[in-house]
Structures are given as C-alpha cells and as structure tokens.
Amino acid sequence: MPKVTVDGVELDVPQGATVLQACEMAGKEIPRFCYHERLSIAGNCRMCLVEVSPGPPKPQASCALPTAEGQVIRTDSPMVKKAREGVMEFLLINHPLDCPICDQGGECDLQDQSVAYGRGATRYDENKRAVTEKYMGPIVKTVMTRCIQCTRCVRFAEEVAGVEDIGAIYRGENMQITSYLERAVASELSGNIVDLCPVGALTSKPYAFEARPWELTKTLGIDMMDAVGTNVRIDSRGRQVLRVLPRVNDDVNEEWASDKTRHHVDGLVRRRLDRPFVRKDGQLVEASWAEAFEAIKAVNAGSSVAAIAGDLVDCETMFAAKALVNALGSSLLEGRQTGLDYDVTSLSAVNFNTTIAEAENADVILLVGTNLRWEAPLINTRVRKAVWKKGAKVFAIGPETDLTYKTEWLGDDASLVAKLPAHVMEALKGAERPMLIFGGGALSVPGVHGAGLALAKAVNAVRDGWNGFNVVHFSAARMGSLMLGYGLPGGIRDVIAAKPKLAFFLGADEVDFAAFAETFKVYVGHHGDKGAHAADVILPAAAWTEKDFTTVNTEGRVQRSERAVFAPGDAREDWSIFRALADALDVNVGFDSFDECRAAMIAAVPALGQEGLADYGWTVPKLPAKPEARAIPSPIKDFYLTNAICRASPTMQRCSQELIHGEDFAEAAE
C-alpha cells in the first residue's frame, strides 16, 4: 500500500487508488464534474486539479493520476486555487447562466462549485455559443447550451445501461452531446442520466417547471414497481408526489433506478378510487363505507371466503387480509394472480439466493425464461457488469432479445433445461461461481422448476460461500406473500375450484375475473383499473406512497417504507379497512392499530421483523424434472404498463407508445 501525504496528513492508500480517492480518504473535498465513482475515468473537466510532487510544476487532474509511494499532495495551495478559478471561468464562458428558469437550480453542481471555487467575476464579454436542443425521448428534456461536455451521460449509456445511443459530435468548442439521429434513448434506465448531469443540460421532462427542491418534503421509501426493492426518496408537495429519486444502497440498486420507478408518479393522482362503490342493478354507484360493509355482510359467505393479492401489495395489507379470512374460517390465500402454480414449499427454491450484489461476481451464467431488462433492470445491470468487467459467459434459454451484453442463445424450448449442450454443461461445471437465473415465465412451464434444481445439483451451483440457484420475480409483493402463506399448491386454480362465495382482491388487476362469475367480488385497491371494473364492491385504499409498510424483494431482503402523502378522499390505509370490516362481520382480527398489526405480523412471521436478508436456509423440494417441450412464455408484454399505476400514468403511456410500439411524436417548434 503506497504511503502518501495529503495537506500534511500521512496515510496509506490501496494499491491502484487515484490521487482523488486518496484526498477523499484524508477528508478533503475535491471538486469534480466528469468524475463519477461508478463510471470510467474521462479526465476532461479539469476541475479536480491538485498539486503533486514529485512531478511537473503544474496542477494535475487528480481523478486520472494514480497514487505512488512518497507523493506529497496539496489541495489548498495558491497554485491549485488559481487553477480551479481558471477552469471555472472557462466553464462559465458559454454557460447561459439561466438559473432562474433552470430545473437544476438549487441542486446544481455548477452552482455550488462556482460559489465555492470560482472567481466571482468573468472577464468574457464576447457573444456566447448556443446549441440547438436534442430530442432524447419522453423522459429526458435537453437544454444543450448548458452542457459542459463532462460525458457522464455518454459513459453511463455505454457502460451501465448498455445502449450506445448517446455520443458526441464535432470537436473542440463545437462539440455537442446528442442521441443517435436525435431519437429517443432506447433504455429502461435513461432517467439516470438526469441525476448524473452536473448542470441543467439534461433534466426530467415530466417534472419540468413543477417545483424547486426546497419546496419539497423528502421521504425515504422502497419502490414497488418491480421486485428489486429499489431504495428511493419520495419528493412531495402538499398531497401530491412530484418525483421519485433513487437512494444509494450498494446491496440493492447502487444509485440507479429504472424509468418506471422514476416516472410512474403522475399516475398516482389519476384514475384514483377515492370513495366506496357498490354494484346495484349492474351499475357501480357511490356508497358510504357503512353501505359497502353492509353489502359484503349480506353475502352471508360463512367460511367460503378467499383473498387474492396483487403485485403492489405490502406485507401488512396481506397480513390484515389473511387475519380476516382466517377469522372467517378460511385459508384460501393466493398471491400469484396470473395463474402461476410453481412449488412454494421451500422459499429458498424460489429466492434469488446469490443476492443482487453478488450477481456481478458470477463467471458463468445461465438465464432461463427471463428478460432481465424488463423483469429486473437493476439485476440486469449487475449481470452486465459481470460480463463487461469480469468476462463472464452468459447462456440463455427463451425468446431471444437484446440484454445489452453478449449472450449465447440456446433456443426457446423449455426442455433444454434438462438436456443442455455439452459445452454449456462443461462451462457451468468448470465455473468458480456458476449462476442459474429462472424467470417467472420459466416456472410456468411444468417440470422446469424441478429440472432447474436438478441442474443446480449437477453443476455444484450450491456450495460453501456461494449459492448460484436463483429465481427472479417481477412482482414486488411476491416474496412477502409467500412468507405470509399466500401460496396454494395449485395456485389461483385452487381458489377457483373452491368456488368461494366472497373474494377479496387486494389490488389484483391481472386476474381472469370471468372465472369468478359466481363469486361476490370485493376490490380493495387504489386505481380504477380492471379489478375495479369487475368488482361488486370497491373499497378505496392507499397507494404505496400513502402508507408505512414492509416489503420483501426478490432476494428475500426485508425493507421498510414510510408514508409520504395522505390518500385522497375517503380512501383508507388497507389494514384499517380489514380491521373495520372485521367489526362489520362480527369477527376479531387481533389488532386495533397499525403498530399492533405489524407486531402481530412479526409474531406470526419473525423474519419480517428484521430488516435485511431473511435466512431461508437451503432445502430442495422433490419435484418432477422433465420439462415439457414447449416455448417459454414471457410474463411481461409491455415494460411500461405492468400495473394499474403505470396504466394511469401519461408518461408511462407515452413511453410505451414510443419505445415499445414505435410511434413517432412530433416535437412542437419553439
């Protein structure tokens, strides 16, 4: 470990560390625009200049300079101060200085660093350069005159997102950043370049001119758009969520978020259910809570009751519904609303056991029936990192698609899982860290689950310190529902076969409601989507931003989210709906408040009381291992419209039209 001195402080730094990293280890703040710890080094903004000896008698870019034994580094000398002032003056020469109308105002690196490191005056009095705006799609708004050519967006698109859609044209002062042929950036992660942009050149198009950062209330939350469990910050004003931004969590999402996570929020205020409805003479009519409860009580269902959980439901909601169903004498609980019926006797056999963070360390990977770009974009970035940085080999079975990294497609026949080509078996057996990933589509084919577990044993994918058997879910509620017992041997078909007189649909919109024609259907949810249209009674509930809750991601990580805003109108938090309904039905659910509900849930499932990875152990159920010879279906038809909130979102609707269906949108001339 080299020993260096930073402003008189002597310290040991790791081999290969840069001077910038050494300065940060010494507690010194180094300004930068182009450098980002998760991207490759560009060294083109020159803001991170320091004085280093031995070395040339001039400032040097600390981000691109490796440390060496005996270096003496100065970050506060007159030479460094003057150099940074000069760099800042050059950066501001052509910058439009339109902070009052810039969406980046108040959280802009250029603003902050010009105050901290700039001269405070400019000597430039020539005409400023102007650059025409570039079209980058429905997510990213551009004002390219503000661009300082840091190339963070270019490096992110190529290295993390894996799409070479953004690049630079021309040279020198005329250099411009643009998307390819000025088309929409075809990535489900494009919104991250807005966070990366240190100036106001790239801003959020749906959020344009909505609010200033100091107006917003910031709440820590967990995203529910997929099963990754992205850590987010919910920014709200009054009773409306205006934006969702990612928080840093290296174990889950690093500091990225998918476009669906960021921009579904305009759907939270549209098509909302804000009062109860009861179906009378074939029509849904507004009702009071008492009338809605009376209609449910009039069914006289006895113990013929079921509960079906949707994809966006939290653990407390499912526990409250389970408590009510159990109190009524039933155990018909199912969370796989689309009809999946894979074995759930062992949670470890349906878990992402490698963990999201460790996925980037795999050296041979087999994907079976999963489009990771759509099902779990931030797991896909980890697999891409394994390929791009560590040379991992990827084989895949399923419908061929562009996963952003080199993949050898073996075919679309599910039976291939039991008879892999010899070179694939050889690669998996010879790997130090083999990883198998099965998608929801794969588990829908009989025999694939058992064949996958047999394959894991055959290639020794589960060993000391490494578990390479993984199932990736696309529903945020899935692992929590399985922990709470929402899993029947035959899936939702068992519920249909039982012909319940009364069924509660907890935000479940993807169910085949025709199969429940004889059942009295109660929809407990927040959006007027398919479930509400089919319901006999609608009980308006809170969306994920409107309540405290616990959720479990696809790797079994228990996480907690906080309420950011209140539910609209007469809508109530889900647990309170089931508590009140218990009184109406003359049964006892065992709790009277949210805290009591959570405490009862933790008493029933202790793993839900400890934030972090739940320990499922490793048990292998005995399952048939002969997959049917047929194509593997995809559980997601449209990445941007997977749930009721997204379908209510104008931004997600436009993303779907433009990026999935190829529609062109004419931009108005300004």
Side-chain angles (χ1 to χ4, degrees), residues 104 145 160 226 382 447 650:
Q104 200 84 341
T145 302
V160 180
D226 59 30
R382 302 282 189 162

Side-chain angles (χ1 to χ4, degrees), residues 444-462:
S444 69
V445 180
V448 167
H449 196 184
L453 290 164
L455 176 63
K457 184 177 181 181
V459 301
N460 194 24
V462 182

Side-chain angles (χ1 to χ4, degrees), residues 484-539:
L484 285 163
Y486 278 72
L488 297 167
I492 201 169
R493 288 196 299 274
D494 284 359
V495 180
I496 296 168
K499 296 183 179 179
K501 294 179 182 178
L502 173 65
F504 296 102
F505 295 88
L506 317 179
D509 293 291
E510 320 304 328
V511 177
D512 177 11
F513 289 99
F516 290 90
E518 305 301 316
T519 300
F520 190 87
K521 297 175 282 294
V522 178
Y523 182 76
V524 184
H526 39 76
H527 276 73
D529 205 78
K530 301 171 189 174
H533 286 291
D536 296 302
V537 170
I538 296 173
L539 303 178

Side-chain angles (χ1 to χ4, degrees), residues 372-444:
L372 279 180
R373 279 188 74 174
W374 282 9
E375 292 176 37
L378 297 176
I379 295 180
N380 197 57
T381 62
R382 302 282 189 162
V383 175
R384 175 173 167 75
K385 198 186 288 189
V387 174
W388 195 65
K389 291 192 173 181
K390 300 181 180 176
K393 291 181 181 177
V394 181
F395 304 98
I397 298 171
E400 195 165 331
T401 186
D402 176 18
L403 294 173
T404 73
Y405 40 82
K406 185 178 179 181
T407 307
E408 183 181 332
W409 292 91
L410 306 176
D412 192 17
D413 187 346
S415 65
L416 281 168
V417 180
K419 50 181 181 181
L420 288 174
H423 72 286
V424 180
M425 284 296 290
E426 189 178 324
L428 286 167
K429 285 180 178 178
E432 284 186 31
R433 292 176 297 277
M435 185 164 72
L436 315 176
I437 300 180
F438 292 79
L443 297 195
S444 69

